[in-house]
Amino acid sequence: MTKSVQSLDESAGVTVDLLTKKVRVDSRADIGKIAAAIDEAGYPVTARSAA
Amino acid sequence: MDGRAVEQNFYISGMTCASCVARVEKALVDLRGVTDASVNLATEKATVRGTASPAEVIAVVDRAGYKATKVEDSSQRRAPARRQGVASWWPVLAAALLTAPLVAPMVAQLFGGDWMLPGWLQLVLATPVQFWLGARFYRAGWKAVRALSGNMDLLVAIGTSAAYGLSVYLLVAQPGHGMPHLYFESSAVVITLVLLGKWLESRAKLQTVEAISALEALRATEAIVRRNGKDFVVPVDEVCEGDLLVVRPGGRVPADGTVVEGCSHLDESLLTGESLPVTKKPGDRVTGGAVNAEGMLVVKATAVGAATMLSQIIKLVEDAQAVKAPIQRLVDRVSAVFVPVVLLISLVTLAGWGLATGDWQQALLNAVAVQVIACPCALGLATPTSIMVGTGVAARHGILIKDAEALETAHALDMVVFDKTGTLTEGKPKVVAIEGASPRRVLELAWAAQQYSDHPLAKAVAEAAIDQHLAPPSAVNACALPGRGVRADLDGVTVYLGNLRLMEELGAAIGALHQAAEIHEDNGRTVSYLAVEAGGQVRVEGLLAFGDRIKASAQSAVARLADMGLTSMMLSGDNKGAARSVAAALGIGHFVAEILPADKAQVVAETMQSGKMVGMVGDGINDAPALAAADVGFAMAGGADVAMHTAGITLMRGDPALVADAIDISHRTYRKIRQNLGWAFIYNAVGIPLAAFGLLNPMLAGAAMALSSVSVVGNALLLRRWEPAEAGKQAMSTHGAATPSLKGAKTTMYELTVEGMSCGHPLAA
C-alpha cells in the first residue's frame, strides 16, 4: 500500500493502523488519486477525509 | 407580563409592501412599553423589544389593519411561513380566463379584425375580476385608509376602480350612440397582472427562506436512547442531557454530545460546509444533525433542544434575516411618504390633463396609469430579499452572519487581523526538541508544572511525556501566569515554565541556551523555558521547542485577501522568531508578537483609530474582547462559545479561507442590494413621469409593476448561485525534526479507511 501511494508521490508519508483499518497519508497528491491507487493495489477504500 | 423588557417575535399577515411595513412598525413603536420594533416584509415577521404584553401587541397590530400571531418558540418559527408562503394560483387563472376575451379583440384589432364584444358582455366579464378576484385590494386598501395611510393595494384599488367606473358610466350614459370606447380591459388586465406578480413573488420569496428550511430538515425527529442497557426509540424532544444515544449507520445524530463508544465518519457538510466526512472516535464531540456513515456510535448527549448547535445556528440565521440593514431605514422613510406622493401626482395629472385638453376621459386614464405603475413593493423587497438569500447561501457554506450590520460592514473592510494560534495554525503544537543538561528531567518538570492546564502547549508536553513513559508527576500549588506561563511546587522547589518575558521578570539568566533558542525560533518554533527556584535562586534548566502546523489553506487565504485589496496582520503571544517565521511563510507583512491576551483588543482599537475598517479573526476566549472591538469579528467555531457570541460572523470550520469567502459574499449581497434599490428607484422615477405625461397606458403600467417586484426578488435569488472560491490547499509545518518529510513540502494529511487488510502485507505491498 505504501508503495502504491509512493508511486504517485515518492515523498508521501504513509502510516497504516491495522486495528482501526485507518491509513494516514501525508502527500501533495490528490486524495482521489491516492484512494484509486490503494484501491488498485487490492484494498478497497471505504471512507476518506482530510485529517 | 412582569415588567421585564423582553424580545418577542410575531407573525404579521396582510402586509403587501414597504408602506405596510412602515405602518406596522409605527404602530408598534407608538405602543407604550415598546422600546424597539422591526418588521421584515420578506419573512413577514416582527421583532418587538420592550415590556408590552403579547395581547397588547396583537391588538395594536389589529388596529393598524393587520393580523399578528405570537411566535412561540424557535422550532415553530417557520411553520406558518410555509403555510402562508405561496398564494394560491387559482385566482390568477380565473382572472386570466375572464380577462382573455376582453384583451383578444384588442389584439385582433391590430391585425384588422373587429371582434369587439358588446359593452354589457364586457361588463359581465370585468365585474367578477374587479370585485371578486380584486376584492383583496379593496380590503387591504381600506385598512390603509382607516389607519390614515396608503399602500400599493390602495393605489391598485383606486386606479382600477376609476377605469372600471368610467367604463360603466360611458356604457350607461351613451346608449344607442354606437359602441362607446370602454376601458374594462384595462382594469381587468391590471388586476390580473398584479395578482400574477404577487403569486410569482410569493413563490420566489419562499425560495429565499430555503436555507433555513434546509437546516431545519437536519433535525432528527426520533432518537434511540439507551437506558439500563436497553434501547428505546423516543421522540427527539424527550431526549435529556446525559442520555446515551445510539446512532446507527446512516442515521442522524439527534443532539450534540460526546462519543463514548464506537468509531465512524460523520457527514457534517450541511453544518460546516466541510465536504469530506470527519472521523469520530470516543471522546470526540459530535453535532446534532450530522449524518453517520459506516459505524455505530454511542453518544452521550451534552446539549438538547434549543441548546444544540443546530438550533443556535438556525436562530442566528433567522435573527440575521429579521434585523434591518442600516440602509433599509432610509428606504422605510421614503416608503412612508411614497403612497401619498403618488396619489398627489395622480391628482395633479388628472387636473392638469383635464384642464389643459378638456379631455377628462384621457386625463383619468393617465391618472390611473400613474397609480398603477407606482410600485412601493419593489422598494420594500429590495433589501430584505437580498439579505435573506445572502445570509442563507453563506450559512450553507459554513459562514454564519449574525446580523445585517455585520454583512454591511464586512464588505468595506480594509484590514484583517488574525490571531495566530488556532486560526492560521492548527493550534495543536507538538514538542519537537528539548534542550538542557538532562532533557528527560526537563520534560518531567515541565509535565509536572502544567499537568492541570488545558493549554495546547500543556497537552503537547503531556503527550511527549507519555510517549517517553515518564511517571505521572505530583506537583502542588499549580497556577497559570497569564501571557507568561505556569508555576508549580514540586519536591520542595518551585518550577516555572514559560516564555522569555517570564524568565526576564524572574531575573533568570538564559545563558548558553540563548543560541539554541534563537535557532528554534528562527525555524518558527515556540520556545518555553524551564526554570527552577531553590533557595531564592532561579536557574534556567532547559527549554522545550514546540512546532505547530500552519493550516492548509492559510497561505492562499491571505493571498486572496491581498487580491481583494485587504491587508492582513497577525497577532501572536509567541516569540518574535516564531511569529516572523509564520508571517513570512504566509506572506503577512505586519505582525505583533509576544502580545498579552488583554492587549489584542488594544492593538485592534489602535489600528481602527488610524481610520481603517478592521476585521478580527480569532477562536479563543481570550480573543473575545478583540472580536468585539473590531468593526467585524470573525469567530472560528470549534473554539470558545463566547467568541461565537461576540463575533458578527461565525465561521463553522477552522478554515481561514472562509474569511475571504465571508467578505466576498458580503460584497455580492451589497451589490445586489444596491442594484435592487437602484432599479426600484429608477423604475418609479422614470415610470411615474412617463405615466403622468400620458405616455403609458394603464395595461402596460400594470405589466411593468408586476414585473418590477418579480425582477427584484429574482435578482436577489441569483445570489444563490454563489460558490466559495476553490483555494489551493497547501500545508506547511514547523514541526521540523519531528516530521522531517513535511518541512517545506506542500502536502496535505488524509485519512482513509481501507478494507481487506488482515496481516502486515499491505505495508510492504
Side-chain angles (χ1 to χ4, degrees):
Chain A
M1 195 178 304
T2 307
K3 267 187 193 165
S4 63
V5 175
Q6 286 177 347
S7 67
L8 291 171
D9 171 9
E10 56 182 32
S11 64
V14 181
T15 329
V16 180
D17 184 340
L18 287 174
L19 267 182
T20 59
K21 296 178 181 175
K22 295 267 189 286
V23 181
R24 283 179 89 91
V25 179
D26 205 6
S27 165
R28 69 183 83 188
D30 176 67
I31 189 170
K33 286 185 181 153
I34 296 172
I38 297 176
D39 267 333
E40 261 180 42
Y43 305 99
V45 176
T46 53
R48 54 176 92 165
S49 66
Chain B
M1 195 84 350
D2 56 5
R4 263 185 321 123
V6 287
E7 187 179 297
Q8 305 174 77
N9 289 297
F10 294 86
Y11 228 99
I12 310 286
S13 57
M15 292 190 299
T16 51
C17 65
S19 305
C20 306
V21 171
R23 196 156 80 243
V24 175
E25 237 167 42
K26 189 170 179 310
L28 287 172
V29 173
D30 289 347
L31 179 64
R32 243 177 60 138
V34 171
T35 49
D36 189 23
S38 154
V39 177
N40 185 319
L41 178 60
T43 55
E44 295 182 22
K45 226 157 63 177
T47 305
V48 183
R49 280 172 216 87
T51 54
S53 72
E56 287 172 318
V57 172
I58 290 169
V60 80
V61 172
D62 187 56
R63 276 201 297 280
Y66 301 88
K67 193 173 174 314
T69 20
K70 176 101 164 63
V71 178
E72 292 303 340
D73 83 57
S74 64
S75 59
Q76 315 175 345
R77 281 182 181 202
R78 288 254 66 81
R82 290 211 190 95
R83 279 204 304 276
Q84 302 180 2
V86 178
S88 42
W89 52 270
W90 67 262
V92 183
L93 183 69
L97 287 176
L98 289 167
T99 308
L102 293 169
V103 182
M106 301 200 50
V107 179
Q109 215 169 21
L110 293 176
F111 300 100
D114 184 13
W115 303 350
M116 197 53 81
L117 299 176
W120 62 268
L121 188 54
Q122 290 190 39
L123 176 70
V124 167
L125 288 168
T127 305
V129 177
Q130 186 71 32
F131 297 109
W132 173 46
L133 300 166
R136 53 176 285 180
F137 300 110
Y138 288 102
R139 276 199 298 270
W142 173 241
K143 281 180 191 167
V145 172
R146 244 183 8 179
L148 293 177
S149 72
N151 58 10
M152 183 206 76
D153 303 274
L154 183 65
L155 293 177
V156 171
I158 296 177
T160 55
S161 303
Y164 179 87
L166 175 67
S167 307
V168 174
Y169 166 78
L170 292 173
L171 188 66
V172 176
Q174 303 173 336
H177 287 81
M179 180 77 135
H181 192 110
L182 304 176
Y183 302 98
F184 285 121
E185 81 287 340
S186 298
S187 61
V189 165
V190 167
I191 286 180
T192 307
L193 287 174
V194 176
L195 285 175
L196 175 69
K198 284 268 150 201
W199 180 69
L200 288 175
E201 182 190 309
S202 74
R203 275 173 55 103
K205 253 164 56 178
L206 201 71
Q207 290 174 27
T208 64
V209 299
E210 80 167 4
I212 289 179
S213 313
L215 284 171
E216 283 199 328
L218 293 183
R219 285 185 210 267
T221 48
E222 287 180 335
I224 307 172
V225 177
R226 182 167 286 177
R227 285 177 189 143
N228 304 321
K230 282 190 180 158
D231 293 353
F232 302 90
V233 177
V234 300
V236 77
D237 298 339
E238 290 174 20
V239 174
C240 307
E241 227 180 284
D243 273 347
L244 288 178
L245 307 170
V246 179
V247 187
R248 295 203 172 127
R252 219 174 258 294
V253 180
D256 294 357
T258 317
V259 177
V260 289
E261 213 182 294
C263 257
S264 187
H265 287 83
L266 288 188
D267 177 358
E268 298 180 329
S269 55
L270 271 160
L271 288 163
T272 63
E274 169 63 61
S275 53
L276 293 170
V278 184
T279 316
K280 295 290 173 184
K281 54 184 188 309
D284 287 347
R285 280 168 65 170
V286 296
T287 315
V291 177
N292 188 11
E294 76 287 358
M296 187 154 101
L297 292 174
V298 179
V299 172
K300 187 173 182 181
T302 52
V304 296
T308 60
M309 177 74 88
L310 180 59
S311 297
Q312 286 179 24
I313 292 174
I314 293 173
K315 184 168 184 324
L316 212 63
V317 175
E318 281 195 331
D319 288 351
Q321 298 182 339
V323 172
K324 269 192 187 165
I327 195 169
Q328 179 68 15
R329 301 271 170 201
L330 172 74
V331 177
D332 288 352
R333 280 208 297 275
V334 174
S335 302
V337 293
F338 189 86
V339 172
V341 168
V342 168
L343 284 173
L344 192 70
I345 296 174
S346 159
L347 269 179
V348 171
T349 305
L350 176 69
W353 276 93
L355 293 174
T357 62
D359 181 355
W360 286 95
Q361 250 185 59
Q362 189 56 42
L364 186 67
L365 283 179
N366 290 343
V368 168
V370 166
Q371 290 186 14
V372 170
I373 200 164
C375 183
C377 15
L379 277 179
L381 288 169
T383 313
T385 49
S386 304
I387 286 180
M388 287 179 70
V389 179
T391 50
V393 75
R396 214 168 53 216
H397 290 101
I399 301 162
L400 296 185
I401 298 167
K402 198 193 265 173
D403 51 44
E405 214 169 326
L407 191 71
E408 179 164 346
T409 322
H411 85 287
L413 290 179
D414 302 307
M415 181 179 246
V416 177
V417 179
F418 288 94
D419 172 54
K420 190 193 88 169
T421 309
T423 305
L424 291 170
T425 67
E426 291 186 342
K428 287 178 198 145
K430 281 193 162 59
V431 176
V432 294
I434 303 168
E435 310 271 353
S438 164
R440 197 179 165 81
R441 173 74 182 150
V442 169
L443 183 59
E444 211 168 64
L445 290 176
W447 190 18
Q450 43 183 20
Q451 61 179 318
Y452 302 113
S453 164
D454 59 358
H455 191 278
L457 291 186
K459 285 183 185 156
V461 169
E463 261 175 37
I466 292 165
D467 274 356
Q468 298 211 12
H469 309 291
L470 296 183
S474 55
V476 291
N477 300 333
C479 70
L481 310 165
R484 293 166 178 80
V486 290
R487 194 195 73 187
D489 293 339
L490 179 78
D491 304 333
V493 296
T494 303
V495 180
Y496 292 91
L497 181 70
N499 53 19
L500 189 63
R501 181 198 288 250
L502 176 65
M503 295 302 127
E504 282 168 0
E505 285 174 7
L506 291 169
I510 307 295
L513 287 170
H514 186 71
Q515 211 176 358
E518 264 190 352
I519 294 170
H520 285 305
E521 290 184 355
D522 285 346
N523 282 324
R525 296 169 197 161
T526 306
V527 173
S528 280
Y529 297 89
L530 183 100
V532 173
E533 182 179 12
Q537 276 279 324
V538 185
R539 211 156 47 86
V540 177
E541 293 275 333
L543 64 78
L544 294 103
F546 300 89
D548 195 0
R549 215 173 136 93
I550 294 174
K551 283 184 182 172
S553 59
Q555 193 182 27
S556 56
V558 172
R560 262 186 73 203
L561 288 173
D563 286 346
M564 292 164 82
L566 284 98
T567 324
S568 294
M569 180 172 167
M570 188 182 82
L571 303 182
S572 173
D574 279 348
N575 62 70
K576 279 205 185 74
R580 187 185 302 116
S581 157
V582 172
L586 296 177
I588 295 178
H590 314 267
F591 67 91
V592 182
E594 291 168 30
I595 189 170
L596 289 176
D599 296 341
K600 286 181 186 170
Q602 180 72 26
V603 172
V604 168
E606 277 167 14
T607 318
M608 284 162 69
Q609 271 167 16
S610 65
K612 287 198 166 86
M613 294 281 274
V614 178
M616 167 79 203
V617 192
D619 70 332
I621 294 176
N622 63 29
D623 294 329
L627 290 173
D631 291 305
V632 181
F634 297 82
M636 286 214 171
D641 285 352
V642 61
M644 269 176 76
H645 290 302
T646 38
I649 295 178
T650 299
L651 310 174
M652 294 305 292
R653 273 176 289 147
D655 182 354
L658 287 179
V659 176
D661 288 336
I663 295 173
D664 185 44
I665 189 71
S666 155
H667 267 290
R668 283 167 197 271
T669 307
Y670 254 74
R671 204 179 307 152
K672 281 278 175 257
I673 292 178
R674 279 198 296 265
Q675 281 171 5
N676 276 350
L677 281 179
W679 160 243
F681 272 109
I682 290 170
Y683 161 83
N684 281 302
V686 172
I688 294 173
L690 274 182
F693 288 108
L695 300 168
L696 274 182
N697 92 12
M699 279 190 287
L700 266 182
M705 190 195 77
L707 272 179
S708 76
S709 10
V710 173
S711 62
V712 159
V713 179
N715 189 29
L717 283 175
L718 288 180
L719 270 177
R720 287 197 306 176
R721 296 193 305 198
W722 179 80
E723 287 282 336
E726 193 59 52
K729 291 193 174 171
Q730 300 172 338
M732 278 172 272
S733 168
T734 57
H735 283 170
T739 49
S741 67
L742 296 180
K743 195 152 193 263
K746 291 163 180 175
T747 65
T748 306
M749 184 81 95
Y750 303 115
E751 189 175 288
L752 301 102
T753 308
V754 177
E755 293 300 323
M757 300 189 294
S758 52
C759 62
H761 283 154
L763 279 168

